[in-house]
Amino acid sequence: MKLRDLAGVLPVEGTASADLEVTGISSDSRQVKPGVVFFALAGTKADGAAYAADAAKRGALAVVTSKGSSVDGLPVPVLAVDDPRLALALSAARYFGKQPRTMVAVTGTSGKTSVAAFTRQIWEQAGYAAASIGTTGVVAPGRNEYGSLTTPDPVALHQLLRELADAGVTHASMEASSHGLDQRRLDGVKLAAGGFTNLGRDHMDYHPTVEDYHRAKLRLFDTLLPKGAPAVIFADDPWSAPTIQAAQAAGLKVLTVGRHGDFLTLKRVEHERHRQRAEVEAEGVLYEIDLPLAGDFQISNALVSAGLAISTGTPVAKALAALEKLRGAPGRLDLVGTTASGAPVYVDYAHKPDALENVLASVRPFTTGRVMVVFGCGGDRDRGKRPIMGEIATRLADVVIVTDDNPRSEVPETIRAAILAAAPGAIEIGDRRKAIHEAVGMLHAGDTLIVAGKGHEEGQTIGSETLHFSDHEEVRAALRERVA
């Protein structure tokens, strides 16, 4: 690719370097090599313009900055644009070129990981080469890689999409976080459909209000999806109506799912310990489905996933039949094991108020004894949710153990104190390993234990160090101790 091939995204006309070969795209000056176009992005901690000279010294072909940025005296062209983040995403899309021909994205506070994984599984059962991209990593034919970012940065994302397309993947589902949408990471992805799960309190350390948080989510519908594209929206959430209105105003084909949905209507559901029996009406036909997953929220996720698959070409009957073979996403109400008396222990990623409320409520119908929960809150994140989660835990669980999550740079005791202030009667055990082992040791027949907050994660960040830690491993170890 020549630099001139980025015309329309970057102001390269008349640039002396227009006919030179572009060897890469980067927003990290340390990754710059000769021929790379460097994008100087303004961040929360540093302004990329401060690294423009370093990028030029390393051989950058050009430096892209925002209009009005003070980058002077460089020996390479400086290309000023209105929105460097948008320009980065669109340039990365053009540079890497290929994408799976059918791309869908799902946004919302909870359920994104499950919906992305479920959509991939439905496609797989329909015979497509499919992939999913999100919090738990990348899953594709012959590829299963752990990840850490819900929505990768544009360069990594478009490089990944090129790799998937080259490997023969035709269908891919991905999560669209509010950060990713706000920071233009998905711009340039050619989306065929979008989905919405729900909206609750999250990322209040980044978004000033819940309304601002919702507006960031709406970029998927009012900016990224082409007119006429399907918008599959869960209809039973308090934020469903404004999301539907925004999607309709953007000229999208709105398809609602859930109890109040008109595309896939949930008529009836019976909850059992490890599965749910549901009746779903689609196109005037009633389908009976045995969903092999617990929790009312998993029915919601499954319906959004089925809607995304159907709206992109999977036959209705085939998509709904595929729901009976779904495997849960790692760390999402994941049954790790049971005690000798049959008490189940689940690991769940619930680390925000709505998610914790949903998971605790979902196990109550099949718990004849006590609902128990072990959880904490992360440091350097939204402090306001801590007492909210403490209140939810003590209202919906019979035994609450407050422990450490990822304290990061904060004092762990301070985080726990904020939770405990709204959690009368809760037990405080700071050491997460000890908390899990103590909780498993307290289980009796009929009880259910949820270890919440970290889900699939395999590390615990304390200070600046991330130590290996897995809730799954600790639960299994605690269960073995009970047998020994």
Side-chain angles (χ1 to χ4, degrees):
M1 170 186 278
K2 307 288 188 187
L3 184 61
R4 70 169 59 257
D5 294 325
L6 294 176
V9 176
L10 301 179
V12 298
E13 297 82 358
T15 302
S17 305
D19 287 319
L20 296 180
E21 194 72 23
V22 175
T23 62
I25 305 283
S26 182
S27 60
D28 184 342
S29 66
R30 296 167 297 182
Q31 310 259 335
V32 170
K33 296 176 181 177
V36 169
V37 179
F38 173 67
F39 289 74
L41 306 182
T44 55
K45 296 181 180 178
D47 188 342
Y51 302 98
D54 180 57
K57 189 182 301 182
R58 292 172 184 266
L61 183 63
V63 171
V64 180
T65 67
S66 61
K67 289 180 178 176
S69 179
S70 56
V71 176
D72 302 311
L74 295 183
V76 300
V78 175
L79 309 176
V81 297
D82 291 322
D83 188 340
R85 289 186 181 276
L86 176 61
L88 171 64
L90 297 180
S91 296
R94 194 171 291 186
Y95 178 75
F96 289 104
K98 293 170 66 176
Q99 302 178 19
R101 68 170 182 260
T102 301
M103 291 286 311
V104 304
V106 58
T107 195
T109 299
S110 301
K112 297 186 297 297
T113 301
S114 293
V115 170
F118 293 169
T119 305
R120 168 182 52 79
Q121 292 176 51
I122 295 169
W123 280 332
E124 286 173 344
Q125 292 182 52
Y128 300 115
S132 58
I133 304 164
T135 308
T136 55
V138 180
V139 180
R143 184 169 184 166
N144 193 337
E145 300 170 1
Y146 179 80
S148 59
L149 284 177
T150 302
T151 308
D153 75 79
V155 177
L157 175 59
H158 286 285
Q159 181 175 359
L160 171 61
L161 296 182
R162 174 64 186 253
E163 291 171 0
L164 293 174
D166 285 343
V169 170
T170 59
H171 291 61
S173 55
M174 65 178 296
E175 299 180 44
S177 68
S178 62
H179 289 70
L181 290 164
D182 186 56
Q183 295 172 9
R184 312 302 193 251
R185 295 183 212 162
L186 279 86
D187 290 68
V189 178
K190 297 173 183 175
L191 294 171
F196 173 82
T197 56
N198 51 59
L199 195 91
R201 181 190 176 104
D202 198 19
H203 302 306
M204 291 297 101
D205 52 326
Y206 181 88
H207 300 283
T209 65
V210 176
E211 289 74 20
D212 181 80
Y213 174 46
H214 184 237
R215 276 193 295 274
K217 298 285 189 186
L218 289 181
R219 281 199 80 246
L220 174 60
F221 304 103
D222 62 26
T223 303
L224 299 186
L225 285 173
K227 282 196 184 326
V232 180
I233 298 174
F234 178 59
D236 304 335
D237 188 75
W239 287 87
S240 299
T243 305
I244 290 168
Q245 291 166 7
Q248 289 172 335
L252 303 180
K253 181 181 179 181
V254 174
L255 306 172
T256 55
V257 303
R259 289 177 172 84
H260 296 97
D262 55 18
F263 184 60
L264 298 177
T265 308
L266 180 62
K267 307 297 285 189
R268 188 177 68 87
V269 61
E270 292 179 8
H271 301 282
E272 298 182 11
R273 184 176 284 270
H274 303 309
R275 68 174 185 172
Q276 300 171 79
R277 296 186 176 188
E279 290 182 355
V280 177
E281 184 179 340
E283 299 179 341
V285 179
L286 195 64
Y287 295 84
E288 293 187 0
I289 298 163
D290 279 348
L291 185 72
L293 301 166
D296 197 57
F297 63 93
Q298 292 287 39
I299 286 275
S300 309
N301 294 336
L303 291 177
V304 174
S305 304
L308 287 170
I310 294 166
S311 69
T312 52
T314 304
V316 174
K318 189 169 284 190
L320 294 180
L323 300 185
E324 299 198 340
K325 298 179 181 178
L326 290 182
R327 301 177 307 279
R332 273 63 180 174
L333 201 56
D334 205 346
L335 178 63
V336 181
T338 58
T339 64
S341 63
V345 184
Y346 294 92
V347 165
D348 193 87
Y349 190 48
H351 60 285
K352 49 201 121 179
D354 285 9
L356 184 63
E357 185 159 6
N358 286 338
V359 74
L360 292 176
S362 71
V363 300
R364 178 62 73 181
F366 58 75
T367 301
T368 57
R370 302 169 300 169
V371 172
M372 300 171 55
V373 63
V374 174
F375 83 104
C377 290
D380 302 333
R381 298 294 185 269
D382 177 13
R383 289 169 168 78
K385 73 179 182 182
R386 297 168 187 174
I388 297 172
M389 292 180 70
E391 185 279 326
I392 288 169
T394 49
R395 172 164 47 87
L396 296 178
D398 303 295
V399 178
V400 177
I401 298 178
V402 175
T403 189
D404 292 342
D405 190 282
N406 292 314
R408 301 185 177 90
S409 71
E410 285 195 62
V411 178
E413 292 82 359
T414 302
I415 300 173
R416 297 197 302 270
I419 301 169
L420 290 163
I427 302 166
E428 181 180 10
I429 304 176
D431 185 304
R432 192 172 183 91
R433 179 173 288 108
K434 183 179 179 183
I436 291 171
H437 286 245
E438 291 275 348
V440 171
M442 295 167 64
L443 285 168
H444 301 305
D447 293 346
T448 298
L449 171 61
I450 304 289
V451 179
K454 293 179 61 60
H456 62 283
E457 293 179 359
E458 296 182 351
Q460 184 178 30
T461 305
I462 302 171
S464 59
E465 190 175 5
T466 298
L467 308 171
H468 177 77
F469 192 95
S470 163
D471 283 354
H472 288 79
E473 291 175 9
E474 293 307 324
V475 168
R476 284 193 286 266
L479 288 169
R480 286 195 299 270
E481 287 174 4
R482 295 271 290 171
V483 175

